[in-house]
Amino acid sequence: MENVITEEMLAQLRERVRAYLDERRYLHTLEVEEEAARIGAVFLPDKIEKLRAAALLHDITKRDSFEKQLQYCEEFGIMIDKAEFDAPQVLHAVTAAAVAARDFADIVDEEILGGIRWHTTGHDGMSVFESVIFLADYIEPSRTFDDCISMRNYFWGSMPNADDRTVQAVHLCRSMVYAFDLTMRQLLDEAAPIGTHTVLARNCFLDRLAALTEA
């Protein structure tokens, strides 16, 4: 059954997540919430509240140390691959989903947990819901990194005016490919490993884009 989240529940959630975040991260989280609602209004207008909830919970383990992240993995029986171990900055997405399932069971469902879990790396077969959270985290307006600005300008600057679902789907796919391109270029510049999930996610959106544009 569809998880129903009310405005009152969201207001309470905003206060509950404060205990998990420092002030800077809390302000970022609120920006992601608003950006998720803005993007969701285009792609998932019937799931705005759920998108807001996922956004509020997406970084709840971000401030924890690498050692604490590994403790979470042991506690929750989370198996991580070498790329995730070698890139500790992405582990918080995995552990945040596990902690959210434990501490916010009254709010979350599998769709929300998916949005949290995949907001950094993406994965093969990403849902629209997961894509919205991924993009919201990437392009929320307080992000000032060059790639974030470029992604934000691309996404909103080329947003189609048409209310055609296929046209919108094409734009979403192109945006996700561009986001992964930016991420992978940065990792290549840093001689850092690129996780399998990210490679497969990019390939998945390329396949979807081809199917949409060839139809």
Side-chain angles (χ1 to χ4, degrees), residues 127-176:
S127 68
V128 175
F129 189 98
E130 292 163 354
S131 301
V132 171
I133 299 301
F134 179 96
L135 287 170
D137 182 49
Y138 206 132
I139 68 173
E140 60 91 350
S142 75
R143 295 279 205 189
T144 57
F145 299 111
D146 289 344
D147 284 353
C148 298
I149 294 170
S150 179
M151 185 68 240
R152 184 163 58 241
N153 290 341
Y154 176 84
F155 181 75
W156 288 117
S158 57
M159 176 67 70
N161 292 323
D163 206 18
D164 184 288
R165 303 309 291 177
T166 300
V167 172
Q168 291 174 349
V170 167
H171 178 63
L172 182 63
C173 287
R174 285 176 174 160
S175 297
M176 293 299 291

Side-chain angles (χ1 to χ4, degrees), residues 11-97:
Q12 293 171 353
L13 184 58
R14 289 184 196 102
E15 293 306 310
R16 291 169 67 185
V17 299
R18 276 183 177 272
Y20 296 76
L21 305 165
D22 58 34
E23 187 62 22
R24 183 181 69 84
R25 185 61 48 182
Y26 182 67
L27 293 175
H28 160 71
T29 293
L30 295 181
E31 293 282 12
V32 176
E33 180 196 359
E34 291 305 316
E35 193 70 16
R38 187 182 177 200
I39 300 171
V42 178
F43 297 101
L44 291 173
D46 59 333
K47 295 190 176 184
I48 301 296
E49 290 78 15
K50 287 183 69 174
L51 288 165
R52 285 183 177 274
L56 286 167
L57 293 165
H58 82 284
D59 268 356
I60 56 173
T61 59
K62 178 75 171 180
R63 73 179 181 185
D64 293 317
S65 66
F66 180 54
E67 290 71 24
K68 182 64 175 176
Q69 301 291 344
L70 295 180
Q71 288 177 20
Y72 284 134
C73 290
E74 183 176 358
E75 177 184 351
F76 293 108
I78 298 169
M79 301 296 294
I80 58 173
D81 60 27
K82 187 176 186 303
E84 289 170 323
F85 184 86
D86 290 340
Q89 68 272 20
V90 308
L91 271 184
H92 73 280
V94 187
T95 58

Side-chain angles (χ1 to χ4, degrees), residues 100-130:
R102 181 191 67 189
D103 295 357
F104 299 89
D106 57 318
I107 292 285
V108 302
D109 62 9
E110 288 304 311
E111 190 168 45
I112 290 172
L113 293 177
I116 299 167
R117 167 64 181 89
W118 300 111
H119 81 268
T120 58
T121 63
H123 73 112
D124 190 15
M126 270 181 99
S127 68
V128 175
F129 189 98
E130 292 163 354

